[in-house]
Amino acid sequence: MRDINFSKRLRLALLPALAASVSLSAAAQTAAPGKTANPGASANSATPGTAYRALRASALIGKEVRNPQGTNIGKINDLIVDMTTGDVRYAMLEFDPGIFQGERLFAVPTSELRMAADRDGLVYNMTRDKLERSAVNRADWNRTWSDPSYLANLDKTWGVVQPSRGARAHRVSDLLGKDVNNRQGSKIGEIEELMIDMAARKVHYALLEFDPSWAAPEKFYAFPLRAFNLAAGRDDLVLDVDKSKIQAMKAFPAERFGTVNDPAWVADVDRYFVTVLPTLVVARTGPSGQALAQSSESRAPTPGTARAPRADRN
């Protein structure tokens, strides 16, 4: 991963604050039952009437977790996301010393967490017995997260109705900065950030920076997670896109980052995702025959913005 120089950090340091300061109420658009998914549309809508609020995954990892009384009990160590649906299914909690014995991480469904009133942390009402059953030794986390049996056990422990689809589950910390290849196996860019809709508990879109030979530097573009295919061994992501079409995509200037939650702007990019993006990305089909493009029943993300700082990942 390329280093970001100091001047670039300084130039863009205020962008995340702008993005986090704006929220809106957005109604989901519902597609007809059985309708084929549109390759460019997103499936990441919140429940109608809930407030849409995008938060960077890199800011969510490391965020403080408190109990209902407001006492700090730990922090978010990692997240597990379903690459097919975009659902952020589990948060891996790292509790403060003395709460649990041993060096362990504890999987908690994101539905169990809520934003604190000051939005500086998350609130969780601990369920100790379930936490004990969903714990994993920190030393084993690197290999355990991709084990389908571990994910199935989590679903059983927490009574999750929809399974985590182990074959498409991925830890968010590994996706940030991950290489993206074309179908020939050549690197075309990397994932710079994931924008998470906290109301829907879904990854709204992934921000991809293409290599300079593909697109102008210091620009990044939004894609639904389903647009990416996991390469063998999960070492890389594959995006089936033609270089000439990427260069024709509309990228947004830096100032757009501050209006990422503006209703009019979101509606405008909705139309972009539905009408333009399907012509740029080749839809893939999963084992069940389901298109790996997002459903058209919800709003779409921004097709591109200027590069955001990543200082919080250091």
Side-chain angles (χ1 to χ4, degrees):
M1 191 187 309
R2 295 178 298 278
D3 292 330
I4 300 174
N5 60 44
F6 176 78
S7 62
K8 186 185 297 182
R9 289 179 185 274
L10 184 61
R11 222 170 36 240
L12 300 173
L14 295 178
L15 292 180
L18 289 171
S21 66
V22 185
S23 63
L24 63 93
S25 294
Q29 302 170 1
T30 304
K35 188 174 181 180
T36 302
N38 187 311
S42 168
N44 302 330
S45 65
T47 303
T50 60
Y52 172 83
R53 180 172 181 257
L55 185 65
R56 292 179 301 134
S58 60
L60 189 55
I61 294 175
K63 188 168 283 293
E64 179 182 277
V65 177
R66 308 167 188 167
N67 64 19
Q69 292 71 44
T71 302
N72 181 30
I73 58 176
K75 64 180 180 180
I76 302 293
N77 179 277
D78 212 338
L79 302 159
I80 297 177
V81 64
D82 189 320
M83 295 288 291
T84 300
T85 64
D87 291 332
V88 183
R89 301 198 59 82
Y90 291 99
M92 302 303 297
L93 302 190
E94 177 183 339
F95 286 98
D96 286 350
I99 298 179
F100 288 97
Q101 293 182 349
E103 294 291 323
R104 295 183 293 172
L105 300 176
F106 300 81
V108 174
T110 53
S111 58
E112 298 281 324
L113 305 172
R114 61 181 175 83
M115 292 297 297
D118 59 8
R119 295 190 174 186
D120 286 335
L122 297 165
V123 177
Y124 172 54
N125 191 9
M126 285 200 310
T127 308
R128 185 173 287 269
D129 60 331
K130 290 184 177 180
L131 285 171
E132 288 285 4
R133 284 183 280 149
S134 62
V136 59
N137 289 328
R138 184 190 296 272
D140 298 331
W141 173 235
N142 285 342
R143 60 179 178 80
T144 303
W145 69 267
S146 59
D147 184 353
S149 64
Y150 171 70
L151 297 174
N153 181 65
L154 291 182
D155 291 338
K156 182 178 179 180
T157 297
W158 290 99
V160 174
V161 176
Q162 297 179 353
S164 294
R165 298 173 184 255
R168 292 280 293 173
H170 218 88
R171 61 176 181 174
V172 167
S173 63
D174 189 59
L175 288 174
L176 297 175
K178 197 170 188 65
D179 288 348
V180 176
N181 295 342
N182 60 15
R183 63 179 178 271
Q184 289 77 32
S186 298
K187 180 182 175 181
I188 62 174
E190 64 181 37
I191 300 294
E192 292 294 315
E193 189 63 89
L194 301 179
M195 297 299 294
I196 297 176
D197 179 354
M198 296 298 291
R201 297 184 295 275
K202 287 178 176 285
V203 173
H204 199 180
Y205 50 93
L207 294 175
L208 173 66
E209 182 187 21
F210 287 96
D211 281 352
S213 62
W214 278 66
E218 298 189 23
K219 298 284 185 181
F220 63 87
Y221 302 82
F223 292 90
L225 285 182
R226 288 191 184 187
F228 300 96
N229 199 37
L230 284 170
R234 298 171 178 247
D235 292 332
D236 296 304
L237 297 175
V238 176
L239 182 65
D240 197 351
V241 64
D242 185 81
K243 180 177 179 180
S244 63
K245 292 181 179 180
I246 285 296
Q247 290 176 328
M249 286 185 69
K250 182 178 181 180
F252 281 73
E255 56 267 25
R256 280 293 191 185
F257 206 86
T259 58
V260 68
N261 293 321
D262 177 71
W265 186 66
V266 171
D268 181 57
V269 296
D270 277 350
R271 289 188 292 271
Y272 174 89
F273 240 53
V274 171
T275 61
V276 179
L277 194 61
T279 69
L280 305 177
V281 179
V282 177
R284 291 184 175 273
T285 302
S288 64
Q290 180 185 20
L292 295 184
Q294 301 283 27
S295 165
S296 60
E297 65 182 13
S298 68
R299 60 181 175 275
T302 139
T305 65
R307 183 186 180 106
R310 296 167 60 186
D312 54 337
R313 289 192 215 152
N314 291 340

